[in-house]
Amino acid sequence: MSKKFYLTTAIAYTSSKPHIGNVYEAILADAIVRYKKKDGYDTWFQTGTDEHGQKIEQKALSLGITPKEHVDKVSKELRDVYDSMNVKYDHFIRTTDEYHEKQVAKAFEKLLAKGDIYKGTYEGYYCVNCESYFTEKDLVDGCCPDCGAKINKNQEECYFLKLEPYRERLLNYINENPKFIEPEARKNEMINNFLKNPIPDLCVSRTSYKWGIPVISDPKHVIYVWIDALINYITGLGYDVDGNNQELYKKYWPADCHLIGKDILRFHTIYWPIMLMALDLPLPKQVFGHPWVLMNHQKMSKHTGNVIYADELVEVFGVDAVRYYVLHEIPFAQDGNLTYELVCERSNSDLANTYGNLVSRTIAMVKKYFKDETITKGTSTEFDNELKEAFSEASLKYSKLMDEFRIADALEEAMKALRVANKYIDQTEPWVLAKDESKKDTLKNVLYNLLEAIRIGTILLEPAIPDTANKVYKALGTNNTELKDLAFNLDSNYNVTPTEILFKRLDVKEVMDLVLAKEEAKKKAIEEAKAKEESKEKPEITIDDFEKLDLVVGEILEAKKHPKADKLLVFKINIGTEVRQIVSGIAKFYNPDDLVGKKVIVVKNLKAIKLRGEESHGMLLCGSDEADTYLELVNIDSCKPGDIVR
């Protein structure tokens, strides 16, 4: 029976383009899965996008597009970024997928029927940016403790998921499965801060926005993002609430690891397990809360503007150098720092000097001293054992560290061994051996050992630098590239071919000059776009132009939704002389029943047109902000229908 390994990342929120801090998680997951594959596992790697919620609804509105159009765009951007970073997932789930939406709605109804979900009223502080509720004591100067945005108190009817009945059971599970929450410090944080004391029930529906999955039995409610988002880990495998589970679910659930950012650990180690318990499903084996990528020792945030995007880094350093840096520099439990200067220095020291230089020097010596002759084992030297022991020790430590997801430490073990290989060149002095024909067999042995060192070192580095690893395997002409092939002296025979320079040495000043030039160009483009937008302001008009408008007061007699367009409302309006039908695109802002009886301002002499099959003769005057995030009909209570607006 084959070993199985199912790993997921958190699904990325589709509010805007992801920065390198967001993409790090996918790179880390990809490296772990690549390692597992090399260790003979049958793997499944799922990632995706979280596409519902108020923030997305508001963002789409500000852009003048539908929420679906917006999430389609951002979801594609994310997949493009993952592709560019060589992230090889097996399934990309979107929470707008029809199958997922159907199962989420059914799961909600199942929990409602069991009594684990009930209707109530929520009053508290809600952050749209983070899609999270907070108590007053959580706030920092009246702002969200996570993103710093100003938030206000609100109250609305909603459904709640009961948490307290499952708290003791969850605590027992955590204690019985010590690796369930990793690293250890994260587990202690969850137990001490949340699970030691009674926990309040979780709000799991909203009525203040529409962009979400409706509750089947109460459609004015949409299912809140955390139930919607978390269930993706099983719906993506084909979980069915009615028990008709697909083969992928039967094969891979429970997950071996949910890989997530430490900031959403509470949702994955408390709310998610309790949901699974309530649904009578097995819990995942582990939730790993990885640290953050910091920019100049500060958390990356679009609100503060201190973000670097993956494509910007790749343009300067290349894909594998960026992958290697974030994997090597982000420790197991502590945050890691990123700047262009630091990436440059690490690329030079590890990839260009230690690894790339070893590969190019060795292959160059093989071609110089032996042309196209096959390189095999020869006469040993006094320095051979130190080299072999270094790689044997590195291989043993590497596998243990990778199994514990200590990727940074594992890569450093590979680099330590490769540094010994460079030292071995200095110790054996191949260029001196080449001058003595009687030492030819010793020279061949030295080069053979170096090629073995490169092969083993490349196997260890491959999860971080897969494209480079494949180039090196090709140059070595070897198929011994799996973890089972880590032993030295595998009876390999080498017929090498030259390869391109793997990693160029970078001049820090030149890199920073290039980065600064790109930033200036970006600023200039933004300023030009802003100036162009400002130039679109409408021209001044004269009193004669204004006199052409016939503005009157109208009273709304009837308001209903347009039968063919979600954005439009259809009105019957008394304008004094007649009753007009007017169609207006304000459905996102008003419930039609709330508008009957209101007195509004109508542009009476606007030419009649048809909007999606409904005649519209006139226009209603409204006020809104520049981004159309809110809108209000101009209302005149004291006038009567037909009164002139001057």
Side-chain angles (χ1 to χ4, degrees):
M1 185 176 178
S2 63
K3 301 181 290 185
K4 297 180 180 63
F5 184 77
Y6 173 39
L7 179 141
T8 74
T9 68
I11 50 177
Y13 201 51
T14 46
S15 55
S16 58
K17 178 181 175 180
H19 56 66
I20 186 62
N22 305 134
V23 178
Y24 160 67
E25 184 176 294
I27 298 171
L28 177 61
D30 179 75
I32 292 169
V33 172
R34 286 178 185 271
Y35 162 74
K36 290 293 185 181
K37 282 182 183 291
K38 294 187 78 63
D39 198 23
Y41 280 80
D42 176 353
T43 64
W44 192 261
F45 170 18
Q46 179 175 296
T47 188
T49 41
D50 178 6
E51 302 187 4
H52 293 126
Q54 186 176 9
K55 185 178 178 181
I56 289 170
E57 185 176 76
Q58 291 181 351
K59 180 72 174 181
L61 190 64
S62 71
L63 296 172
I65 57 178
T66 66
K68 187 62 165 65
E69 288 170 333
H70 173 68
V71 296
D72 284 349
K73 176 178 177 292
V74 178
S75 181
K76 182 181 184 304
E77 284 179 344
L78 184 73
R79 280 174 285 167
D80 289 345
V81 171
Y82 285 0
D83 289 347
S84 72
M85 296 308 303
N86 209 356
V87 172
K88 303 295 185 186
Y89 48 81
D90 295 290
H91 180 56
F92 191 98
I93 189 170
R94 299 178 59 186
T95 57
T96 54
D97 290 342
E98 183 180 354
Y99 183 83
H100 171 81
E101 291 190 335
K102 180 180 178 182
Q103 295 303 325
V104 168
K106 286 166 64 177
F108 191 99
E109 293 299 317
K110 180 176 180 177
L111 297 177
L112 185 62
K114 284 183 63 181
D116 284 312
I117 286 178
Y118 64 93
K119 186 185 283 189
T121 301
Y122 178 83
E123 183 175 350
Y125 296 88
Y126 177 71
C127 178
V128 175
N129 290 328
C130 299
E131 297 278 2
S132 298
Y133 288 101
F134 297 98
T135 63
E136 189 167 7
K137 67 181 178 65
D138 294 326
L139 305 184
V140 179
D141 297 326
C143 297
C144 172
D146 291 341
C147 73
K150 188 78 174 175
I151 56 179
N152 298 309
K153 199 171 187 180
N154 69 352
Q155 178 178 321
E156 65 178 298
E157 178 186 271
C158 60
Y159 286 90
F160 290 86
L161 174 68
K162 294 178 181 177
L163 301 181
E164 182 59 22
Y166 294 94
R167 181 172 63 88
E168 285 295 330
R169 181 176 163 188
L170 178 56
L171 263 173
N172 291 336
Y173 183 85
I174 293 171
N175 291 328
E176 292 165 5
N177 298 272
K179 294 291 185 182
F180 176 61
I181 305 175
E182 285 283 351
E184 180 79 12
R186 309 266 191 265
K187 176 173 73 175
N188 296 335
E189 177 189 345
M190 291 300 105
I191 291 174
N192 294 328
N193 293 353
F194 299 102
L195 290 172
K196 271 192 170 180
N197 300 305
I199 47 179
D201 295 338
L202 177 68
C203 173
V204 291
S205 79
R206 300 290 305 280
T207 58
S208 54
Y209 63 88
K210 297 299 181 187
W211 180 239
I213 302 170
V215 173
I216 294 172
S217 57
D218 196 354
K220 72 177 180 181
H221 287 259
V222 295
I223 297 170
Y224 187 49
V225 64
W226 284 111
I227 278 202
D228 176 10
L230 290 165
I231 289 179
N232 93 87
Y233 303 127
I234 51 178
T235 59
L237 292 174
Y239 164 74
D240 178 70
V241 175
D242 298 327
N244 302 313
N245 299 316
Q246 297 175 20
E247 289 305 312
L248 282 175
Y249 176 83
K250 296 175 186 176
K251 181 178 182 181
Y252 288 110
W253 190 258
D256 293 273
C257 179
H258 291 318
L259 187 65
I260 58 159
K262 63 180 182 178
D263 51 330
I264 54 173
L265 196 68
R266 172 166 48 107
F267 306 102
H268 285 79
T269 59
I270 298 176
Y271 304 152
W272 176 226
I274 286 176
M275 281 184 224
L276 289 169
M277 289 175 178
L279 289 167
D280 300 317
L281 299 176
L283 271 58
K285 297 173 186 175
Q286 186 176 85
V287 180
F288 186 91
H290 65 76
W292 290 331
V293 180
L294 304 180
M295 172 63 173
N296 283 322
H297 300 287
Q298 291 182 325
K299 183 185 177 184
M300 287 192 199
S301 168
K302 295 183 180 73
H303 295 287
T304 57
N306 66 332
V307 298
I308 298 179
Y309 294 98
D311 54 351
E312 295 172 344
L313 286 165
V314 167
E315 195 173 345
V316 178
F317 302 107
V319 174
D320 278 0
V322 175
R323 284 176 60 104
Y324 180 81
Y325 181 86
V326 296
L327 292 171
H328 185 278
E329 294 303 305
I330 314 301
F332 176 69
Q334 290 81 41
D335 298 332
N337 197 36
L338 184 149
T339 66
Y340 280 98
E341 294 93 334
L342 290 173
V343 180
C344 193
E345 290 168 9
R346 179 59 65 186
S347 180
N348 283 342
S349 63
D350 286 9
L351 298 178
N353 291 352
T354 300
Y355 180 62
N357 192 40
L358 174 66
V359 173
S360 61
R361 287 176 75 191
T362 301
I363 290 178
M365 287 190 290
V366 169
K367 300 309 286 184
K368 180 178 180 181
Y369 301 137
F370 291 94
K371 303 287 190 257
D372 295 326
E373 189 176 332
T374 299
I375 304 300
T376 57
K377 287 181 285 188
T379 304
S380 62
T381 76
E382 61 182 299
F383 306 108
D384 293 1
N385 284 340
E386 181 186 0
L387 178 69
K388 294 175 183 179
E389 286 172 6
F391 278 87
S392 176
E393 183 180 349
S395 297
L396 288 172
K397 289 182 177 179
Y398 172 88
S399 293
K400 184 176 186 299
L401 291 166
M402 288 295 286
D403 285 335
E404 295 173 351
F405 304 152
R406 294 178 179 268
I407 314 301
D409 295 332
L411 294 177
E412 184 53 31
E413 289 300 323
M415 278 298 158
K416 284 180 186 176
L418 290 166
R419 292 183 195 113
V420 174
N422 279 297
K423 175 185 171 185
Y424 179 75
I425 294 177
D426 296 333
Q427 291 172 323
T428 56
E429 298 180 318
W431 52 90
V432 174
L433 295 174
K435 295 176 182 177
D436 186 343
E437 186 63 27
S438 68
K439 302 288 186 182
K440 185 174 182 181
D441 201 52
T442 303
L443 173 61
K444 180 180 285 189
N445 186 72
V446 166
L447 295 176
Y448 174 85
N449 285 340
L450 287 170
L451 292 170
E452 280 285 87
I454 290 169
R455 180 184 65 80
I456 295 169
T458 301
I459 293 172
L460 302 182
L461 292 177
E462 184 184 340
I465 53 171
D467 280 348
T468 303
N470 287 328
K471 291 176 185 175
V472 173
Y473 295 146
K474 185 176 180 180
L476 298 180
T478 183
N479 292 317
N480 296 325
T481 62
E482 304 302 318
L483 287 185
K484 62 181 177 59
D485 303 323
L486 284 174
F488 229 95
N489 294 334
L490 270 182
D491 294 327
S492 301
N493 296 322
Y494 288 102
N495 292 96
V496 303
T497 55
T499 186
E500 62 192 59
I501 295 174
L502 300 177
F503 299 96
K504 295 178 181 178
R505 268 197 66 81
L506 301 166
D507 182 280
V508 177
K509 184 179 182 306
E510 289 179 2
V511 167
M512 293 313 299
D513 286 345
L514 175 63
V515 170
L516 290 172
K518 287 182 178 294
E519 287 180 353
E520 286 300 317
K522 190 190 299 183
K523 286 180 184 176
K524 185 178 179 182
I526 292 171
E527 289 171 359
E528 289 176 350
K530 185 178 179 182
K532 187 176 180 181
E533 189 65 29
E534 289 173 351
S535 70
K536 293 180 180 178
E537 289 184 6
K538 296 177 181 178
E540 290 183 343
I541 63 172
T542 67
I543 189 66
D544 293 333
D545 294 316
F546 184 75
E547 288 290 343
K548 293 177 182 177
L549 292 175
D550 187 1
L551 303 178
V552 299
V553 175
E555 181 178 1
I556 299 176
L557 304 178
E558 178 185 309
K560 63 182 180 180
K561 291 185 177 181
H562 193 294
K564 298 180 181 177
D566 292 339
K567 291 182 178 180
L568 302 178
L569 294 181
V570 181
F571 296 96
K572 290 288 191 297
I573 299 180
N574 176 11
I575 60 170
T577 56
E578 61 180 303
V579 174
R580 289 271 187 94
Q581 176 167 293
I582 296 176
V583 179
S584 182
I586 61 173
K588 287 285 183 182
F589 303 95
Y590 283 103
N591 181 336
D593 293 339
D594 296 336
L595 296 174
V596 175
K598 283 189 177 293
K599 292 175 183 175
V600 294
I601 298 177
V602 176
V603 182
K604 181 180 178 182
N605 62 332
L606 187 67
K607 185 177 179 180
I609 59 171
K610 282 202 172 184
L611 294 174
R612 300 294 296 271
E614 292 285 340
E615 183 180 86
S616 180
H617 192 184
M619 178 182 288
L620 306 184
L621 295 192
C622 304
S624 73
D625 66 329
E626 187 175 350
D628 283 341
T629 55
Y630 63 83
L631 177 145
E632 186 174 352
L633 278 167
V634 178
N635 192 20
I636 302 182
D637 290 329
S638 58
C639 294
K640 64 181 185 297
D643 283 355
I644 298 172
V645 178
R646 303 181 188 277

